[in-house]
Amino acid sequence: MSKTVLVLVETVDEYLPLLEQAGYRLIRAPNAQLRAAAIAQHADEIDAVLTRGPLGLTASEIQALPNLQIICVIGAGYEQVDLTAAAARGITVTNGAGANAAAVADHCLALLLALLRNIPNADASTRRGEWNRVISPSVSGKRLGIIGLGAVGQAIAKRASLGFDMPVSYHSRTPRKELAYTWYDSPLRLAEAVDVLVIATPGGAATQHLVDADVLKALGAEGYLINIARASVVDSAALLEALEQGCIAGAALDVFDDEPNVPDALKALGNTVLTPHVAGQSPEAARDTVTLVLRNLQAFFAGEPVLTPVRG
């Protein structure tokens, strides 16, 4: 018997046929209106839901799907999935940990280079016919700090360490003793010790405003912030103030509090590089992401352990 998957995501369409070729029936609902209609019209048919962290799945939606058995989240974050409601129903939740780590790490290094070497401003001024040969900081040898050393954090650390001779430090809940990087027990202590601070930790209540005004102050006037994870990890008001007042040198952001709305104040600053939440998007990442979803679904419906379970 074929299983029906409610697809809430909108970024991996090209590779969804991988699921259909494996026998899954897909109900695509990539916006709020289609989502509500699909749940109302097909509630009894839905066996699985494919979503992503910011889209999530609410307790009321879970309750409305009587035959839901598994929720697959693309990407590492699952902050808007109601894990308590899922657990109460015995519903399995998986995520896409590691599937797009290479793409995110590549984008992080691109942001790092663009920010420190002032590439966007140099490009824009050259196109205007100017010849502003501004001296910009080197990247090689800068001290890199990473908050969160999962698959993405490790991929960033590897590129920075091996490619740019950057000493790497990190903060996570517990030290990763198998890795040759320096662990700090708090974001504040990490920020004091580095030149560039990268956010690579999942969102959610546990990491809400982990980077606040004190951490930004510790990073200092020659320090840079890069966020390719979730906007909620950083106190956005404190970040804007730090950028406007020169408390930090600059920031590169791929994530924002109210996407797709980016604050005009951020756009107006010359010490920011802004991209529209695309760090994890590439053809290769989309293919690997859907492949991992398929493997999780196949394992689950075969009565086998899923590959990337989320523990509530």
Side-chain angles (χ1 to χ4, degrees):
M1 180 183 298
S2 66
K3 301 295 183 180
T4 298
V5 182
L6 174 62
V7 179
L8 305 180
V9 298
E10 74 289 8
T11 56
V12 293
D13 286 356
E14 186 175 350
Y15 294 92
L16 289 177
L18 291 173
L19 300 181
E20 293 174 315
Q21 291 161 12
Y24 292 93
R25 173 192 174 216
L26 304 186
I27 299 174
R28 291 174 170 84
N31 60 50
Q33 183 177 358
L34 291 173
R35 175 172 174 162
I39 292 173
Q41 296 170 19
H42 302 283
D44 293 341
E45 307 164 36
I46 294 168
D47 304 289
V49 170
L50 176 55
T51 187
R52 60 184 178 89
L55 294 175
L57 197 67
T58 67
S60 61
E61 289 173 326
I62 291 171
Q63 185 178 7
L65 301 173
N67 295 313
L68 179 62
Q69 301 173 62
I70 180 171
I71 302 167
C72 295
V73 185
I74 66 170
Y78 44 85
E79 64 273 19
Q80 294 301 323
V81 176
D82 196 313
L83 298 182
T84 301
R89 282 266 308 276
I91 295 169
T92 296
V93 180
T94 68
N95 72 348
N100 64 356
V104 177
D106 290 351
H107 195 80
C108 179
L109 267 294
L111 289 176
L112 173 62
L113 289 164
L115 181 63
L116 269 67
R117 298 297 297 168
N118 199 33
I119 300 300
N121 289 328
D123 176 82
S125 67
T126 303
R127 291 173 188 274
R128 291 193 299 266
E130 301 165 2
W131 196 249
N132 296 328
R133 302 182 66 196
V134 177
I135 296 176
S136 301
S138 296
V139 172
S140 297
K142 288 286 188 292
R143 300 169 298 169
L144 182 71
I146 305 174
I147 296 180
L149 207 66
V152 169
Q154 289 180 52
I156 293 168
K158 180 179 179 180
R159 285 158 173 74
S161 176
L162 298 179
F164 294 93
D165 297 319
M166 300 179 79
V168 176
S169 304
Y170 69 100
H171 166 72
S172 60
R173 286 175 293 182
T174 55
R176 303 289 297 268
K177 296 181 180 179
E178 74 278 14
L179 299 175
Y181 307 124
T182 303
W183 178 73
Y184 285 88
D185 62 3
S186 72
L188 182 64
R189 292 196 61 203
L190 177 64
E192 291 171 342
V194 301
D195 304 301
V196 180
L197 185 63
V198 171
I199 313 300
T201 190
T207 59
Q208 178 82 16
H209 289 184
L210 207 58
V211 175
D212 57 15
D214 290 338
V215 172
L216 295 169
K217 182 178 179 181
L219 184 57
E222 296 183 358
Y224 298 86
L225 179 82
I226 300 174
N227 192 354
I228 42 74
R230 290 291 186 264
S232 61
V233 182
V234 179
D235 182 334
S236 297
L239 174 60
L240 180 59
E241 183 176 352
L243 288 165
E244 290 176 335
Q245 296 185 1
C247 294
I248 65 172
L253 309 174
D254 186 54
V255 288
F256 305 91
D257 286 322
D258 183 27
E259 298 177 0
N261 301 307
V262 178
D264 290 337
L266 276 178
K267 297 177 189 176
L269 294 172
N271 57 349
T272 58
V273 176
L274 311 174
T275 57
H277 204 152
V278 293
Q281 295 187 32
S282 73
E284 298 85 354
R287 178 200 62 215
D288 292 347
T289 293
V290 177
T291 299
L292 179 57
V293 169
L294 176 58
R295 293 176 67 194
N296 273 318
L297 289 172
Q298 297 289 65
F300 178 80
F301 288 116
E304 300 170 359
V306 295
L307 283 74
T308 53
V310 171
R311 311 297 183 188

